[in-house]
Amino acid sequence: MANYKTLDLGSLESIINRENGKAFLHDELGLTSCEISVSVMPKGKLPFNHKHKQNEEVYIFLKGKGIFTVDGNDINVKEGTVIKVAPTAIRTLENSSDELMQYICVQAKDGSLSQFGMGDGEFC
């Protein structure tokens, strides 16, 4: 078995044709430490309010503009905005631009990261 796996999602805009405009990578890549989703949201779309039992989320905005609401606080987001959200925070997102909003969301168990960056790397 190879030490890597590749996936071609196609153009990011084509992800809008998937269920809920999301490509979940956990199953497609066999991820064992996190869930990653790549999302495309049309103008005006407002997903459901939600929270998590144990996973924090990091949202990385690639395109578009919107309003990210966390525990009743509105945050303006745009290309380059990154937001970390604790598991129990109630969150939702609205695309307020005239273009498709594109973003990546990474979920991992809160408090589980023990090594990162060069602390986990070795020069070969």
Side-chain angles (χ1 to χ4, degrees):
M1 182 171 158
N3 287 330
Y4 64 92
K5 187 169 185 178
T6 63
L7 172 67
D8 183 357
L9 291 173
S11 74
L12 289 184
E13 290 184 358
S14 72
I15 292 171
I16 199 165
N17 298 318
R18 292 183 176 223
E19 186 176 350
N20 295 318
K22 292 182 179 287
F24 289 101
L25 305 185
H26 174 267
D27 290 338
E28 294 192 57
L29 290 175
L31 300 176
T32 63
S33 61
C34 66
E35 170 65 284
I36 301 172
S37 60
V38 181
S39 301
V40 177
M41 180 187 296
K43 178 183 179 180
K45 170 109 180 185
L46 184 65
F48 56 91
N49 281 322
H50 74 285
K51 63 182 179 178
H52 289 270
K53 295 176 183 173
Q54 60 182 357
N55 290 346
E56 69 182 9
E57 291 183 317
V58 176
Y59 291 80
I60 305 164
F61 293 89
L62 306 173
K63 185 176 179 181
K65 295 178 184 174
I67 301 168
F68 194 97
T69 304
V70 182
D71 289 339
N73 298 301
D74 291 342
I75 303 164
N76 291 318
V77 297
K78 61 182 179 10
E79 179 181 331
T81 301
V82 179
I83 300 176
K84 179 252 186 188
V85 186
T88 59
I90 297 171
R91 72 216 63 180
T92 193
L93 173 62
E94 177 182 3
N95 179 356
S96 62
S97 69
D98 290 330
E99 62 184 324
L100 295 175
M101 176 181 281
Q102 298 174 355
Y103 63 95
I104 296 171
C105 181
V106 180
Q107 280 187 41
K109 185 176 180 182
D110 190 34
S112 66
L113 186 63
S114 62
Q115 294 183 0
F116 52 91
M118 288 309 295
D120 187 51
E122 295 178 5
F123 291 108
C124 297

